[in-house]
Amino acid sequence: MKTFARLSFLGIWLASAACTESSTLKGNGGLTGGTIVVATTAEPDAIFPPITATLQGRQVTELLFDPLAQVGTAMNSLGDQGFQPRLAQSWAWAKDSLSIAFSLNPKAKWHDGKAVRASDVVFSFRIYTDSIIGSTVAAQLAQIDSISARDSVTAVVWFKRKYPRQFFDAASQMLILPEHVYSAPRDSVVRKASERGAVGSGRFRLGNWKRSESITLLADTANYRGRPGVDRVQFVIAPEFTTALTKFLTGEADVFEALRPENLADLKKNPALKAVRLPGMAYVFMQFNLRNPKHPSQGHEIFANKALRKALSMAVNRDAMVQNVFDSLATVAVGPTVRSYPTTPKTLPRIGFDSVNSRRMLDSLGWRDTNGDGIRERNGRELSFSMLVPSSSRSRERMAVLIQEQLRQVGVKATIESLDFPALMQRQADRDFDTMLWAWQLTPSPSGLRQTWAGASARTKSGSNFGSYENPVFDALVDSALAETNADRSRQLFDRAYRVIIEDAPAIWLYEPETVLGVQGRIRTTPMRPDAWWLSIADWTIPSGERIPRDLVPAGK
């Protein structure tokens, strides 16, 4: 609130001027200027790309840093069709397809004014794949053998073998880092990054980060890809959903990305607000920890048993819960994928709701209520566990309450632990949980399955397989599907892989939320990529005649 008060006061003072700097600069085919305020319910985990893991962290880092090339709105990740040049202005494949030479844009500069060089690409690969840094993306770069600098503006990516998504891995998996800023002893790179702040090459540069309050990004007015259409983007952090929504509905914020069914009625009443609906690119699931949190070398005393996991899945009526929480703005999840992926089969089996068989299975496993307190036990141990839920997600909190009640009806005690994001992230990283309601926002490539569900990730803890699911059959099918160049055969292999993991029930696949973006009417948006609407925000504009006081703050403030 204090930040907006200051901006509004300064905007009123400037309103008497006939013309501001921001309203006279030209770019993107028209007048530029203004401020876009995004209300968000969580703070970024980090703004150092190799270790950024949360949605909020991605939103900020992907505006500050550029890849070599970016996936287009059609989200093709096969070959190089539809990719948009970023730091690389062009590229050339070797005749044997085992290397790609990327020619960097000679105009590209870092936010501190130094030129982007091929050595920066070499450095970035080294950081992303360094086990001490522990990047969650490292597993997806495993098929890149090395990167070399042919000259100061040509980076050559060398591959271990040919496969369908070579270009995607080389061009889009890494956000390129400036070596002169982040170079440091291996064990202090992340610390140095947090001390120096973010220096990237994106069309926005870091203004300031007021912890737990806001992050302000300022237009990089001399950017090699052109000046953004607005002067600044400010992410305002409001951990409570209602607070964030109120900021949007009252005009304190211009964008809110988590609208619910009941909020759409409010938008219809206000012609100044609009809703943008995008296909869902995330799935939410209740993850079982298959390892003992206190003794990771041992299986979890409850969840190591597949039959019990399936029994718990049967106890949960996902259709009713999704309808209750989301109405028509979400569908029941099919597995560790989303329906909008071209590699997702049209139909997949599911562990359906069947409370009768759930009770029978629990009985057969020896979990019975012998003392009449309503909770099953076996060998003196109650069938009870905790569910971690991010306090910033109202929908997941509501879903947890419904799950808790449905499990209670079959004699299972689930305790909800609602944590703020930093605390939850730490528990997740430490694998210190029984179950957790978590979500994955997917990239255009299904190769993320390696990072989130592959057994190697579970053993090395280098990826994001926090529940420690392992099945070599699943791993082999995923690897084969990703290596297959024929689209139909690839889809068939993915089908088999998904059937394996669904049968293993390492999680209860809950829902796929549709992205419903609330936007103030004065903002002129451009086509958005379904998995990352924020990538086009530099091309959004605010007509000069529709600007409000906070839009009139001079560029660079």
Side-chain angles (χ1 to χ4, degrees), residues 20-76:
T20 67
E21 175 193 5
S22 63
S23 64
T24 57
L25 290 171
K26 290 190 175 182
N28 299 327
L31 293 177
T32 59
T35 298
I36 294 176
V37 177
V38 181
T40 184
T41 55
E43 191 160 33
D45 56 327
I47 51 175
F48 184 54
I51 63 170
T52 300
T54 65
L55 176 62
Q56 290 76 19
R58 279 188 58 200
Q59 289 173 345
V60 174
T61 57
E62 290 176 8
L63 294 179
L64 295 173
F65 296 85
D66 282 334
L68 292 173
Q70 187 168 277
V71 174
T73 54
M75 294 199 303
N76 171 61

Coordinates of all heavy atoms in Angstrom, one line a residue, residues 20-76:
T20 N 5.3 14.2 -20.7 CA 6.4 13.5 -20.0 C 7.3 12.8 -20.9 O 7.0 12.5 -22.0 CB 5.8 12.5 -19.0 OG1 5.3 11.4 -19.7 CG2 4.8 13.1 -18.1
E21 N 8.5 12.5 -20.3 CA 9.5 11.7 -21.1 C 8.9 10.4 -21.6 O 9.0 10.1 -22.8 CB 10.7 11.4 -20.3 CG 11.7 10.5 -21.0 CD 12.7 10.0 -20.0 OE1 12.6 10.2 -18.8 OE2 13.7 9.3 -20.5
S22 N 8.1 9.7 -20.8 CA 7.6 8.4 -21.1 C 6.5 8.5 -22.2 O 6.3 7.5 -22.9 CB 7.0 7.7 -19.9 OG 5.9 8.4 -19.4
S23 N 5.9 9.6 -22.4 CA 4.8 9.7 -23.4 C 5.3 10.2 -24.7 O 4.5 10.4 -25.6 CB 3.7 10.6 -22.9 OG 4.1 11.9 -22.7
T24 N 6.6 10.6 -24.8 CA 7.1 11.1 -26.1 C 8.0 10.1 -26.8 O 8.3 10.2 -27.9 CB 7.8 12.4 -25.9 OG1 8.9 12.2 -24.9 CG2 6.9 13.5 -25.4
L25 N 8.5 9.1 -26.0 CA 9.4 8.2 -26.6 C 8.6 7.2 -27.5 O 7.5 6.8 -27.1 CB 10.1 7.3 -25.5 CG 11.2 8.1 -24.7 CD1 11.6 7.3 -23.5 CD2 12.4 8.5 -25.6
K26 N 9.2 6.9 -28.6 CA 8.5 6.0 -29.5 C 9.1 4.6 -29.6 O 10.3 4.5 -29.4 CB 8.4 6.6 -30.9 CG 7.5 7.8 -31.0 CD 7.3 8.2 -32.5 CE 6.3 9.4 -32.6 NZ 6.0 9.7 -33.9
G27 N 8.3 3.6 -29.8 CA 8.8 2.2 -29.8 C 7.6 1.3 -30.0 O 6.5 1.7 -29.7
N28 N 7.8 0.2 -30.5 CA 6.8 -0.8 -30.8 C 5.7 -0.3 -31.6 O 4.5 -0.6 -31.5 CB 6.2 -1.3 -29.4 CG 7.2 -2.0 -28.6 OD1 8.1 -2.6 -29.1 ND2 7.1 -1.8 -27.3
G29 N 6.0 0.7 -32.5 CA 5.0 1.2 -33.4 C 4.1 2.2 -32.9 O 3.0 2.5 -33.5
G30 N 4.4 2.8 -31.7 CA 3.5 3.8 -31.1 C 4.1 4.4 -29.9 O 5.2 4.2 -29.5
L31 N 3.3 5.3 -29.2 CA 3.8 5.9 -28.0 C 4.0 4.9 -26.9 O 3.3 3.9 -26.8 CB 2.7 6.9 -27.5 CG 2.5 8.2 -28.5 CD1 1.4 9.0 -27.9 CD2 3.8 8.9 -28.6
T32 N 5.0 5.1 -26.1 CA 5.4 4.2 -25.0 C 5.2 4.9 -23.7 O 5.2 6.1 -23.6 CB 6.8 3.7 -25.2 OG1 7.7 4.9 -25.1 CG2 7.0 3.0 -26.5
G33 N 5.1 4.1 -22.7 CA 5.0 4.7 -21.3 C 4.0 4.0 -20.5 O 3.1 3.2 -21.0
G34 N 4.0 4.2 -19.2 CA 3.0 3.7 -18.3 C 3.6 2.6 -17.4 O 4.7 2.1 -17.6
T35 N 2.8 2.1 -16.5 CA 3.2 1.1 -15.5 C 2.1 0.0 -15.5 O 0.9 0.2 -15.5 CB 3.2 1.7 -14.1 OG1 4.2 2.7 -14.1 CG2 3.5 0.7 -13.0
I36 N 2.6 -1.2 -15.5 CA 1.7 -2.4 -15.3 C 2.0 -3.0 -14.0 O 3.2 -3.4 -13.7 CB 1.9 -3.4 -16.5 CG1 1.5 -2.9 -17.8 CG2 1.2 -4.7 -16.2 CD1 1.8 -3.8 -19.0
V37 N 1.0 -3.1 -13.1 CA 1.2 -3.6 -11.8 C 0.5 -5.0 -11.8 O -0.6 -5.2 -12.1 CB 0.5 -2.7 -10.7 CG1 0.6 -3.4 -9.3 CG2 1.2 -1.4 -10.7
V38 N 1.3 -6.0 -11.4 CA 0.8 -7.4 -11.4 C 0.7 -7.8 -9.9 O 1.7 -7.7 -9.2 CB 1.8 -8.3 -12.1 CG1 1.3 -9.8 -12.0 CG2 2.1 -7.9 -13.5
A39 N -0.5 -8.2 -9.5 CA -0.7 -8.7 -8.2 C -0.4 -10.2 -8.1 O -0.9 -10.9 -8.9 CB -2.2 -8.5 -7.7
T40 N 0.5 -10.6 -7.2 CA 0.9 -12.0 -7.1 C 0.8 -12.4 -5.7 O 1.0 -11.6 -4.8 CB 2.3 -12.2 -7.7 OG1 2.6 -13.6 -7.7 CG2 3.3 -11.4 -6.9
T41 N 0.5 -13.7 -5.5 CA 0.3 -14.2 -4.1 C 1.6 -14.8 -3.5 O 1.5 -15.3 -2.3 CB -0.8 -15.2 -4.1 OG1 -0.5 -16.3 -5.0 CG2 -2.1 -14.6 -4.5
A42 N 2.7 -14.8 -4.2 CA 3.9 -15.3 -3.6 C 5.1 -14.6 -4.1 O 5.1 -14.0 -5.2 CB 4.0 -16.8 -3.9
E43 N 6.2 -14.6 -3.3 CA 7.4 -13.9 -3.7 C 8.3 -14.9 -4.5 O 8.2 -16.1 -4.2 CB 8.2 -13.5 -2.4 CG 9.3 -12.6 -2.7 CD 9.7 -11.8 -1.4 OE1 9.6 -12.3 -0.3 OE2 10.1 -10.6 -1.5
P44 N 9.1 -14.4 -5.4 CA 10.0 -15.3 -6.1 C 10.9 -16.0 -5.2 O 11.3 -15.4 -4.2 CB 10.7 -14.4 -7.1 CG 9.8 -13.2 -7.2 CD 9.1 -13.0 -5.9
D45 N 11.2 -17.2 -5.5 CA 12.2 -17.9 -4.6 C 13.6 -17.4 -4.9 O 14.4 -17.4 -4.0 CB 12.2 -19.4 -4.9 CG 12.4 -19.8 -6.4 OD1 12.0 -19.0 -7.2 OD2 13.0 -20.8 -6.7
A46 N 13.9 -17.0 -6.1 CA 15.2 -16.4 -6.5 C 15.1 -15.7 -7.8 O 14.1 -16.0 -8.6 CB 16.3 -17.5 -6.5
I47 N 16.0 -14.8 -8.1 CA 16.0 -14.2 -9.5 C 17.4 -14.5 -10.1 O 17.9 -13.7 -10.9 CB 15.7 -12.7 -9.5 CG1 16.5 -12.0 -8.5 CG2 14.2 -12.5 -9.2 CD1 16.3 -10.4 -8.5
F48 N 17.9 -15.7 -9.8 CA 19.1 -16.2 -10.4 C 18.7 -17.4 -11.2 O 18.3 -18.5 -10.7 CB 20.2 -16.6 -9.4 CG 21.5 -17.1 -10.0 CD1 22.2 -16.3 -10.9 CD2 22.0 -18.3 -9.6 CE1 23.4 -16.7 -11.4 CE2 23.2 -18.7 -10.1 CZ 23.9 -17.9 -11.0
P49 N 18.6 -17.3 -12.6 CA 17.9 -18.3 -13.4 C 18.2 -19.8 -13.1 O 17.3 -20.6 -13.1 CB 18.3 -17.9 -14.8 CG 18.4 -16.4 -14.7 CD 19.1 -16.2 -13.4
P50 N 19.5 -20.2 -12.9 CA 19.8 -21.6 -12.8 C 19.1 -22.2 -11.6 O 18.8 -23.5 -11.6 CB 21.3 -21.6 -12.6 CG 21.8 -20.4 -13.3 CD 20.7 -19.4 -13.0
I51 N 18.7 -21.5 -10.6 CA 18.1 -22.1 -9.4 C 16.7 -21.7 -9.2 O 16.0 -22.1 -8.2 CB 18.9 -21.8 -8.1 CG1 18.9 -20.3 -7.8 CG2 20.3 -22.3 -8.2 CD1 19.5 -19.9 -6.5
T52 N 16.1 -20.8 -10.1 CA 14.7 -20.4 -10.0 C 13.8 -21.6 -10.2 O 13.9 -22.2 -11.3 CB 14.4 -19.3 -10.9 OG1 15.3 -18.2 -10.6 CG2 13.0 -18.8 -10.8
A53 N 12.9 -21.9 -9.3 CA 12.0 -23.0 -9.5 C 10.5 -22.7 -9.4 O 9.7 -23.5 -9.8 CB 12.4 -24.1 -8.4
T54 N 10.2 -21.5 -8.9 CA 8.8 -21.2 -8.7 C 8.2 -20.4 -9.9 O 9.0 -19.8 -10.7 CB 8.5 -20.4 -7.4 OG1 9.2 -19.1 -7.6 CG2 9.1 -21.2 -6.2
L55 N 6.9 -20.4 -10.0 CA 6.3 -19.7 -11.1 C 6.6 -18.2 -11.0 O 6.9 -17.5 -12.0 CB 4.7 -19.9 -11.0 CG 3.9 -19.0 -12.0 CD1 4.2 -19.4 -13.4 CD2 2.4 -19.3 -11.7
Q56 N 6.5 -17.6 -9.8 CA 6.8 -16.2 -9.6 C 8.3 -15.9 -9.9 O 8.6 -14.8 -10.5 CB 6.5 -15.8 -8.1 CG 5.0 -15.8 -7.8 CD 4.5 -17.2 -7.6 OE1 5.2 -18.2 -7.3 NE2 3.1 -17.3 -7.6
G57 N 9.2 -16.8 -9.6 CA 10.6 -16.6 -9.9 C 10.8 -16.6 -11.4 O 11.5 -15.8 -12.0
R58 N 10.1 -17.5 -12.1 CA 10.2 -17.6 -13.6 C 9.7 -16.3 -14.2 O 10.3 -15.8 -15.1 CB 9.3 -18.7 -14.1 CG 10.0 -20.1 -14.1 CD 9.1 -21.1 -14.8 NE 8.9 -20.7 -16.2 CZ 7.9 -21.2 -16.9 NH1 7.0 -22.0 -16.5 NH2 7.8 -20.7 -18.2
Q59 N 8.6 -15.8 -13.7 CA 8.0 -14.6 -14.3 C 9.0 -13.4 -14.3 O 9.1 -12.7 -15.2 CB 6.7 -14.2 -13.5 CG 5.6 -15.1 -13.8 CD 4.3 -14.9 -12.9 OE1 4.4 -14.1 -11.9 NE2 3.2 -15.4 -13.3
V60 N 9.7 -13.3 -13.2 CA 10.7 -12.2 -13.1 C 11.9 -12.4 -13.9 O 12.3 -11.6 -14.7 CB 11.0 -11.9 -11.6 CG1 12.1 -10.9 -11.5 CG2 9.8 -11.4 -10.8
T61 N 12.5 -13.6 -13.7 CA 13.8 -13.9 -14.4 C 13.6 -13.9 -15.9 O 14.5 -13.5 -16.6 CB 14.4 -15.2 -13.9 OG1 13.4 -16.3 -14.1 CG2 14.8 -15.2 -12.5
E62 N 12.5 -14.4 -16.4 CA 12.3 -14.5 -17.9 C 12.0 -13.1 -18.5 O 12.0 -13.0 -19.7 CB 11.2 -15.5 -18.2 CG 11.6 -16.9 -17.9 CD 10.5 -18.0 -18.1 OE1 9.4 -17.6 -18.6 OE2 10.7 -19.1 -17.7
L63 N 11.8 -12.1 -17.7 CA 11.7 -10.7 -18.2 C 13.1 -10.0 -18.1 O 13.3 -9.1 -18.9 CB 10.7 -9.9 -17.4 CG 9.2 -10.4 -17.6 CD1 8.3 -9.5 -16.8 CD2 8.8 -10.4 -19.1
L64 N 13.9 -10.5 -17.2 CA 15.2 -9.9 -17.0 C 16.3 -10.5 -17.9 O 17.3 -9.8 -18.3 CB 15.7 -10.0 -15.6 CG 14.8 -9.3 -14.5 CD1 15.3 -9.6 -13.1 CD2 14.9 -7.8 -14.7
F65 N 16.2 -11.8 -18.2 CA 17.2 -12.5 -18.9 C 16.6 -13.1 -20.2 O 15.4 -13.4 -20.3 CB 17.7 -13.7 -18.1 CG 18.5 -13.3 -16.9 CD1 17.8 -13.0 -15.7 CD2 19.8 -13.1 -16.8 CE1 18.4 -12.6 -14.5 CE2 20.5 -12.7 -15.7 CZ 19.8 -12.5 -14.5
D66 N 17.4 -13.3 -21.2 CA 17.0 -13.9 -22.5 C 17.7 -15.2 -22.7 O 18.8 -15.4 -22.4 CB 17.4 -12.9 -23.7 CG 16.5 -11.7 -23.8 OD1 15.3 -11.8 -23.4 OD2 17.0 -10.7 -24.3
P67 N 17.0 -16.1 -23.5 CA 17.6 -17.3 -24.0 C 18.2 -17.0 -25.3 O 18.2 -15.9 -25.8 CB 16.5 -18.3 -24.1 CG 15.3 -17.4 -24.5 CD 15.6 -16.1 -23.7
L68 N 18.8 -18.0 -26.0 CA 19.3 -17.8 -27.3 C 18.1 -17.6 -28.3 O 18.2 -16.8 -29.2 CB 20.2 -19.0 -27.8 CG 21.5 -19.1 -27.0 CD1 22.2 -20.4 -27.4 CD2 22.4 -17.9 -27.3
A69 N 17.1 -18.4 -28.1 CA 15.9 -18.3 -28.9 C 14.7 -18.8 -28.1 O 14.9 -19.6 -27.2 CB 16.0 -19.2 -30.2
Q70 N 13.5 -18.3 -28.4 CA 12.4 -18.6 -27.6 C 11.3 -19.3 -28.4 O 11.0 -19.0 -29.6 CB 11.8 -17.3 -27.1 CG 10.7 -17.4 -26.0 CD 10.4 -16.1 -25.4 OE1 11.1 -15.7 -24.4 NE2 9.4 -15.4 -25.9
V71 N 10.6 -20.2 -27.7 CA 9.5 -21.0 -28.3 C 8.4 -20.0 -28.7 O 8.1 -19.0 -27.9 CB 9.0 -22.0 -27.3 CG1 7.7 -22.7 -27.9 CG2 10.0 -23.1 -27.1
G72 N 7.8 -20.1 -29.8 CA 6.7 -19.2 -30.2 C 5.4 -19.6 -29.6 O 5.3 -20.5 -28.8
T73 N 4.3 -18.8 -29.9 CA 3.0 -19.0 -29.3 C 2.4 -20.4 -29.7 O 1.5 -20.9 -28.9 CB 2.1 -17.9 -29.7 OG1 2.0 -17.8 -31.2 CG2 2.5 -16.6 -29.2
A74 N 2.9 -21.0 -30.7 CA 2.4 -22.3 -31.1 C 3.0 -23.4 -30.2 O 2.5 -24.6 -30.3 CB 2.6 -22.6 -32.6
M75 N 4.0 -23.1 -29.5 CA 4.7 -24.0 -28.5 C 5.3 -25.2 -29.1 O 5.3 -26.3 -28.5 CB 3.7 -24.4 -27.4 CG 3.3 -23.2 -26.5 SD 2.7 -23.7 -24.9 CE 1.3 -24.8 -25.4
N76 N 5.8 -25.1 -30.4 CA 6.5 -26.2 -31.0 C 7.8 -26.3 -30.3 O 8.6 -25.4 -30.2 CB 6.6 -26.0 -32.5 CG 7.6 -27.0 -33.1 OD1 7.3 -28.2 -33.1 ND2 8.7 -26.6 -33.6

